Amino acid sequence: MSYYNNCGYGGNYGGNYGSYGGQGDGLKGPLAILRRISLGTTISVHFDSVERVGRFLGIENGTVLLLVGGTIYYISIKKITAVDIP
């Protein structure tokens, strides 16, 4: 499952239907994916030309918390361009 912001098929699909799979919950973009996965899920987050792969720890005040090799990264949802779930 992937969502790509503003590029290709993934961006249009997620943007048009509000959420991946057309569930119609009103959420768009990476937030639509992140709201549907469980805590502790391994994800890949793309932002600022960087990719981080780690365990999803949740969302706090518009920031995604990602555990990567013992370090917690705080990534603004607005900066995320893609989310992949391997």
Side-chain angles (χ1 to χ4, degrees):
M1 185 180 317
S2 298
Y3 178 85
Y4 293 93
N5 237 355
N6 301 322
C7 64
Y9 181 76
N12 292 333
Y13 188 75
N16 290 338
Y17 291 99
S19 64
Y20 190 89
Q23 296 297 316
D25 59 9
L27 298 175
K28 295 182 180 180
L31 185 58
I33 296 282
L34 296 170
R35 292 288 303 245
R36 296 183 60 192
I37 62 174
S38 301
L39 298 179
T41 301
T42 299
I43 63 172
S44 174
V45 178
H46 303 263
F47 63 99
D48 293 339
S49 299
V50 175
E51 176 187 12
R52 296 272 188 246
V53 178
R55 299 223 177 248
F56 176 62
L57 299 180
I59 301 170
E60 184 71 35
N61 296 326
T63 303
V64 173
L65 283 70
L66 191 67
L67 179 64
V68 180
T71 301
I72 297 176
Y73 287 86
Y74 300 85
I75 306 164
S76 172
I77 290 175
K78 292 180 181 180
K79 290 187 174 189
I80 296 174
T81 55
V83 173
D84 296 314
I85 302 172

